[in-house]
Amino acid sequence: MKKLDKNKLILAVAAPLLAIVAALVITSVIIAATGKDPLHAYQVMVDFGSKSDSQVWIINKATPYYLSALAVAIGFRMNLFNIGVDGQYRIAAFFAAVVGGSLTLPGFVQIPLVILVAMVVGAIWAGIAGLLKTTRGVSEVISTIMLNSIGASVIGYFLQDGRLAIKEGNLIHTPYLPDSAHFFEIPTTPKPVYGFVIVAALAGLVYWFVLSRTRFGFDLRTVGRSESAAQAGGVSVKRMVVTSMVLSGAVAGLVGMPTLLGVSYNYGTDF
């Protein structure tokens, strides 16, 4: 049995506490500078968070943010900065909506298919940045930011009536997903919680297990700490860079799924 490292425990507790305190201090200064009462602002936050409807809203809103953070965290462990999650999740959600809207299959096939398409498209889009970095030395920060813009242009090209979208009033969107593609909800009062929160939690567990308990995760973390040491140990740095970007993009592809499968059931100009 491993002996408890008190220094690591103290650091693990102190770091988030210090971050919270710093955030409160900085925010209080900014609010006070506008002539408002910081304590009143915090009271409003507490009141909001104590209401059941707002708690459901917070959980539903937190789900895509959590998945976004997970996607970025994969790259961070290798000192890669995937700034393209926004573009990756949008283009992934768009093509997943196109595929899902063109098929009518049983739910146990339709839903995994839509999710798989989103993950594959997100992985491909992020993988482009990984390949540019390993073959041409292009910074992933620059390439992912530019791919956000390119992704928006690709969506804009196909999201037109007569191409991959239809017009409904003033909105243009992909065909609606069939009822079989509607993700389940967790019944709560007064509004339900998106069932995709369970997928997000499972994704977090997979992330922890892969990075902390597998050889691949060890190699990934080693490259992040020292590329030369990893290469000396037989790890292909270039392969790990591309692989981590692909995995980051695959998780980014999940970000739009709570909205697509649980709210809008299409990808449109108001997505």
Side-chain angles (χ1 to χ4, degrees):
M1 184 175 180
K2 289 185 178 180
K3 187 178 179 181
L4 182 64
D5 190 330
K6 292 183 179 180
N7 291 332
K8 286 187 177 181
L9 179 61
I10 292 173
L11 182 62
V13 174
L17 286 178
L18 182 61
I20 293 172
V21 171
L24 289 172
V25 171
I26 295 171
T27 304
S28 298
V29 171
I30 294 173
I31 294 175
T34 65
K36 304 296 182 181
D37 182 8
L39 294 179
H40 175 69
Y42 297 138
Q43 184 61 49
V44 171
M45 291 170 63
V46 172
D47 292 341
F48 179 80
S50 62
K51 298 175 181 177
S52 58
D53 57 340
S54 58
Q55 290 170 352
V56 170
W57 184 86
I58 290 170
I59 293 172
N60 288 340
K61 283 292 182 180
T63 300
Y65 285 127
Y66 175 77
L67 290 168
S68 300
L70 211 58
V72 175
I74 294 173
F76 277 176
R77 297 306 293 267
M78 271 193 59
N79 288 330
L80 293 174
F81 295 87
N82 182 6
I83 315 297
V85 170
D86 183 72
Q88 291 153 21
Y89 99 78
R90 288 181 181 276
I91 198 165
F94 172 73
F95 283 106
V98 170
V99 173
S102 63
L103 299 173
T104 302
L105 301 170
F108 68 90
V109 176
Q110 182 93 358
I111 292 176
L113 178 62
V114 171
I115 294 174
L116 180 62
V117 170
M119 294 181 70
V120 169
V121 173
I124 291 173
W125 206 247
I128 295 173
L131 286 173
L132 287 173
K133 183 177 180 67
T134 55
T135 59
R136 308 299 298 175
V138 179
S139 168
E140 75 279 3
V141 175
I142 303 301
S143 59
T144 51
I145 290 175
M146 295 180 72
L147 282 167
N148 284 344
S149 179
I150 295 172
S153 299
V154 170
I155 294 172
Y157 176 80
F158 287 110
L159 192 64
Q160 296 186 40
D161 188 21
R163 288 182 178 167
L164 296 179
I166 57 176
K167 188 172 183 180
E168 185 178 13
N170 293 325
L171 297 177
I172 297 177
H173 58 76
T174 60
Y176 282 102
L177 271 64
D179 291 343
S180 60
H182 294 189
F183 210 78
F184 74 91
E185 296 176 330
I186 302 172
T188 55
T189 304
K191 293 182 179 180
V193 173
Y194 301 157
F196 215 83
V197 68
I198 295 176
V199 176
L202 291 174
L205 288 174
V206 171
Y207 167 83
W208 167 81
F209 179 80
V210 171
L211 265 70
S212 302
R213 295 291 185 269
T214 66
R215 169 65 186 273
F216 170 79
F218 176 78
D219 290 346
L220 189 146
R221 288 182 285 114
T222 302
V223 173
R225 293 185 178 184
S226 174
E227 290 188 6
S228 58
Q231 200 157 16
V235 178
S236 173
V237 174
K238 289 185 176 181
R239 186 180 72 245
M240 291 302 296
V241 168
V242 175
T243 302
S244 63
M245 286 299 295
V246 166
L247 289 176
S248 181
V251 176
L254 296 174
V255 174
M257 294 301 97
T259 302
L260 178 63
L261 300 176
V263 181
S264 64
Y265 307 116
N266 66 55
Y267 189 104
T269 49
D270 62 336
F271 188 82

